[in-house]
């Protein structure tokens, strides 16, 4: 539809269009980009009418040519190598996995948080650019910089932790803290890639003792060992670096349990998080008090020789500045938390869309394919109608409204004040004129 509107752009410019067609014509670029990114998102999730497309060949394989429910698939290549990575988007094997919903929920939730934090951080950077452009030195020094420090120390750090958790070879880390029988098939697995004593992926000799099992790096198991004892990484906490953390719990504990990381991902994580917490804690009073203080000093300099009336105006003006700054500080600090949670609507919308597509496919098509041709014909009609009406019309409109709200509220409140300067929308005519 968007490409059709673009193709007929010049013809529609010369025509007298009705209200609905004129609205579509005005939004032709937006409609085109919405369609493009809808296709892009479908390719990233590898989701076409709730079905995974095996475009590049899955990187997982079952032992049997006709797998049954409960069978386990194995990777065709070693973890981390190019042969084990699906070229673009998610591997279609996830659409037949028993933990499909759990995996997609986790992935989409993290992706929503990443997009939200990056967009809000971009909005904060625009605030700094505006301060430089309009020559507002105090706004740049005592609003923009503390905001960047606060956002980076907690929220950008959360994005870094998400990517770290995705990039760490947890199969190898967990295997390094697993007690195995040297005579078992798992002993000597190539999945073990940890570096111990300068050697990477080398299995130690297990000379017996204990309960007869050892970890890949040579720890002799006794049968009731703690995970921290079996893990060779020595990062601290109960996990010691060999157990993937719950990121939500880890982030909450930055403030509630400073200096304590139960399941660390890297060495020195507790110390770094204490430093980041201190930066966030210092940035809040700076954001609250610094600008009003320096403004009051400027006002005192300007009105040094003024009388009582001017002194009263000065006190009244300083009080207004302090109240305004307190409101802005509270809005920013609490807004970073609430706005981040607001971006989870992207996760919810994607989940609802995929689940509706699954229901329509299974109930309207799969349930009628094995009956007869007439039932299949009716089922396809129901499937096509519900897909067009619900997914391609109602759901697209809903997603558009939610995305518009995220741009309008969560993004623009970081830099746009609506203080009397008329908003100038992007226009090709003004640029080309």
């Amino acid at each position: 539809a968007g490409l059709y509107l673009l193709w007929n752009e010049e013809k529609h410019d010369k025509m007298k269009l009705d209200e609905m067609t004129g609205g579509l014509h005005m939004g032709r670029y937006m409609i085109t980009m919405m369609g493009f990114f809808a296709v892009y998102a479908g390719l990233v999730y590898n989701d076409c009418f709730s079905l995974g497309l095996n475009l590049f060949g899955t990187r997982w394989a079952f032992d049997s040519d006709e797998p049954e429910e409960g069978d386990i698939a194995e990777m065709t290549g070693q973890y981390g190598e190019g042969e084990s990575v699906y070229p673009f988007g998610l591997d279609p094997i996830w659409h037949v996995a028993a933990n499909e919903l759990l995996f997609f929920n986790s992935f989409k939730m993290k992706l929503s948080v990443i997009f939200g934090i990056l967009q809000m951080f971009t909005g904060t950077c625009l605030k700094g650019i505006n301060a430089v452009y309009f020559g507002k030195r105090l706004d740049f020094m005592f609003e923009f910089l503390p905001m960047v420090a606060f956002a980076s120390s907690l929220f950008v750090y959360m994005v870094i932790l998400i990517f770290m958790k995705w990039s760490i070879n947890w199969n190898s880390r967990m295997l390094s803290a697993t007690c195995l029988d040297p005579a078992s098939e798992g002993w000597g697995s190539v999945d073990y890639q940890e570096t111990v004593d300068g050697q990477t992926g080398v299995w130690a000799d297990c000379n017996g003792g204990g309960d007869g099992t050892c970890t890949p790096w040579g720890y002799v198991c006794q049968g009731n060992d703690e995970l921290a004892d079996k893990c060779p990484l020595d990062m601290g906490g109960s996990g010691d670096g060999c157990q993937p953390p719950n990121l939500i719990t880890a982030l909450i504990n930055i403030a509630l349990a400073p200096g304590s990381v139960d399941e660390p991902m890297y060495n020195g994580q507790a110390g770094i998080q204490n430093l980041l917490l201190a930066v966030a804690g210092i940035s809040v009073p700076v954001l609250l008090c610094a600008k009003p203080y320096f403004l009051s000093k400027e006002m005192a300099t300007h009105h040094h020789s003024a009388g009582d009336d001017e002194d009263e105006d000065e006190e009244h003006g300083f009080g207004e500045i302090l109240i305004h700054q307190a409101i802005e500080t509270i809005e920013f600090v609490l807004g970073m938390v609430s706005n981040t949670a607001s971006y989870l609507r992207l996760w919810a919308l994607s989940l609802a869309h995929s689940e509706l597509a699954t229901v329509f496919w299974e109930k309207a098509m799969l349930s009628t394919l094995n009956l007869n041709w007439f039932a299949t014909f009716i089922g396809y009609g129901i499937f096509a109608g519900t897909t067009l009406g619900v997914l391609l019309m109602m759901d697209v409109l809903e997603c558009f409204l939610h995305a518009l709200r995220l741009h309008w509220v969560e993004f623009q409140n970081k830099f746009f004040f609506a203080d009397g300067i008329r908003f100038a929308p992007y226009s090709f005519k003004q640029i080309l004129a």
Side-chain angles (χ1 to χ4, degrees), residues 117-135:
I117 291 175
L118 292 181
Q119 187 179 41
M120 289 190 296
F121 191 78
T122 302
T124 305
C125 291
L126 289 177
K127 180 184 181 69
I129 294 173
N130 285 341
V132 172
Y133 179 80
F134 291 108

Side-chain angles (χ1 to χ4, degrees), residues 170 173 235-237 239-243 245 261-266 269:
W170 291 109
R173 284 198 180 186
M235 295 180 181
D240 209 35
C242 287
Q243 182 172 322
V261 181
D262 193 45
E263 298 170 341
M265 287 192 287
Y266 60 91
Q269 184 172 342

Side-chain angles (χ1 to χ4, degrees), residues 174-200:
M174 290 189 290
L175 181 60
S176 68
T178 302
C179 295
L180 297 171
D181 186 343
S184 65
E185 294 182 0
W187 189 265
S189 171
V190 295
D191 290 337
Y192 175 66
Q193 294 296 322
E194 297 306 307
T195 301
V196 179
D197 296 331
Q199 296 180 317
T200 301

